[in-house]
Amino acid sequence: MTASVVSTPSALTVRPRPRLWAVTGIVAALGSIVSVFLSMALSPEYIRGSVITSEAINAGLMDKRPLLIAFHVATLASGLLIVVFAAGLHRRLHASTGVQSTAPLIAFAGLLLVAAAQVLGTGLDTEFLFGIDDTAINLPGDIGMYSHWIATIPWLWAGGGLAALAVGVASRAGAAPRWIGVTGSVLGGLTVLVALSPLQYMAAMPGALWLLVTAVGFAVGDRRASRHR
């Protein structure tokens, strides 16, 4: 006697997975946020009336080598993953806006600027990770420049603000959910305004927050949309 199996539509339904490029954006955003806080932890403590010397910065970084390694990994990984997210975002926006729209390309290019800043922000890590307290490699004054470098360059998110605004524009053509477009317009505008100010490096916080919210929105939104198809 042969048992028969009755297949129902619900049994044959395959649970859709979140878009990989969107999930990559989530990880990139978290990595960028971690990078910001690690760079703050690596910065010397500025106290009103005190003088920060190269020797003090050098000693501080020597004691925080594990944090310096974590900063390098988080920042560089974030930069590389942002490129993957940028490619996926470009494809998603382009599919809805068409060849006449410049929004997909602007979003892609803006995120590439952020990725470049992340990669360049880690460019001196090896030199100082192994050259701290070695005057044959680095002059005493060099360590101060490096301290400022890691506390500013990876924070440059002006391109992210531009990408967010492009997503906001593309959402009007149905390339993204309305709330993602509004988020892009608000946080993108804030990111660009802060970047245009003398405190440009502070743009990292609204920029990374936009990336996180947007990536989560595309990952979850695409998953829900595919369930109802």
Side-chain angles (χ1 to χ4, degrees), residues 33-57:
I33 293 172
V34 169
S35 169
V36 166
F37 283 99
L38 284 175
S39 68
M40 292 173 63
L42 290 167
S43 298
E45 184 177 358
Y46 292 94
I47 302 175
R48 184 178 296 275
S50 65
V51 177
I52 301 297
T53 64
S54 298
E55 291 74 17
I57 298 174

Side-chain angles (χ1 to χ4, degrees), residues 23 31 33 45 57 68 97 118 163 166 170-172 180 221 223:
V23 175
I33 293 172
E45 184 177 358
I57 298 174
L68 186 55
T97 58
Q118 300 276 4
S171 68
R172 300 174 187 173
I180 288 183
R223 192 176 187 182

Side-chain angles (χ1 to χ4, degrees), residues 29-173:
L30 293 175
S32 182
I33 293 172
V34 169
S35 169
V36 166
F37 283 99
L38 284 175
S39 68
M40 292 173 63
L42 290 167
S43 298
E45 184 177 358
Y46 292 94
I47 302 175
R48 184 178 296 275
S50 65
V51 177
I52 301 297
T53 64
S54 298
E55 291 74 17
I57 298 174
N58 188 80
L61 288 178
M62 286 184 65
D63 293 337
K64 298 175 180 177
R65 273 185 169 140
L67 290 182
L68 186 55
I69 294 173
F71 164 79
H72 175 80
V73 173
T75 307
L76 186 56
S78 175
L80 297 178
L81 293 175
I82 284 175
V83 176
V84 178
F85 177 79
L89 181 62
H90 177 272
R91 183 179 63 182
R92 170 61 186 268
L93 299 181
H94 181 74
S96 299
T97 58
V99 296
Q100 299 300 322
S101 176
T102 58
L105 184 57
I106 292 174
F108 180 77
L111 286 173
L112 279 188
L113 289 176
V114 177
Q118 300 276 4
V119 174
L120 287 174
T122 65
L124 296 174
D125 292 346
T126 301
E127 185 77 5
F128 286 91
L129 179 62
F130 297 104
I132 294 175
D133 204 33
D134 188 347
T135 54
I137 298 177
N138 300 306
L139 297 175
D142 294 341
I143 195 70
M145 181 276 298
Y146 173 68
S147 178
H148 288 297
W149 181 270
I150 62 176
T152 53
I153 301 302
W155 295 45
L156 300 180
W157 268 76
L162 191 63
L165 291 174
V167 172
V169 172
S171 68
R172 300 174 187 173

